[in-house]
Amino acid sequence: MSVKHTLLALLYQQPMHGYELGKQLMHVVNVEWDVKPGQIASTLTRLYEAGLVDYDIESVDDAPDRKVYRLTGAGQDELRSWYLNPEVRDYQQAIPFISSWC
C-alpha cells in the first residue's frame, strides 16, 4: 500500500488536516511503517496538484491556520480504481531464487 492511497482512504472517511492524518495513519497501519510528517506533507501537495484532494483553511486561535483536506470526485475515483484493481506482482522475477524451488 502506498502513502498516497492510504491518505486517500483516510480522507474518504472524513476531512482531516496533516497532523491528524499522521496520527490516524499510525493507528491504522503497522507502527513499523515509519512515515515521516514531511512525506505526508509532500504527498498531500502532490495529491492537491493532481486534483485528487482539495482543502479549506481552518483558523485556530492559539496556533497557525491549518489546511483541512478532503477528497475530490477525482480522488474518490482514484481510490475506487485502486481498490477494485489490485496490484499483481510477479514474485518469481522479484526474487529469482524462488523459481528454483518450483
Side-chain angles (χ1 to χ4, degrees):
M1 177 184 282
S2 68
V3 174
K4 169 187 172 179
H5 291 107
T6 304
L7 295 178
L8 290 175
L10 288 171
L11 290 172
Y12 179 78
Q13 296 174 357
Q14 67 182 32
M16 289 184 243
H17 56 82
Y19 177 75
E20 206 172 11
L21 282 163
K23 283 179 35 179
Q24 288 299 316
L25 191 124
M26 296 313 296
H27 287 293
V28 298
V29 298
N30 189 338
V31 293
E32 292 179 19
W33 190 26
D34 187 25
V35 180
K36 305 285 187 211
Q39 186 176 4
I40 293 170
S42 64
T43 303
L44 287 170
T45 298
R46 286 193 303 278
L47 292 172
Y48 174 74
E49 291 170 350
L52 302 178
V53 300
D54 202 357
Y55 63 83
D56 295 311
I57 302 294
E58 181 180 273
S59 296
V60 182
D61 291 335
D62 58 347
D65 293 349
R66 57 186 171 203
K67 296 176 183 176
V68 178
Y69 292 88
R70 67 184 180 292
L71 278 184
T72 63
Q76 290 178 4
D77 291 345
E78 169 66 24
L79 183 61
R80 185 178 304 108
S81 175
W82 169 79
Y83 183 76
L84 294 174
N85 298 298
E87 180 180 335
V88 178
R89 296 183 183 192
D90 184 356
Y91 288 103
Q92 290 183 347
Q93 286 183 359
I95 307 172
F97 66 86
I98 289 179
S99 60
S100 66
W101 293 351
C102 300

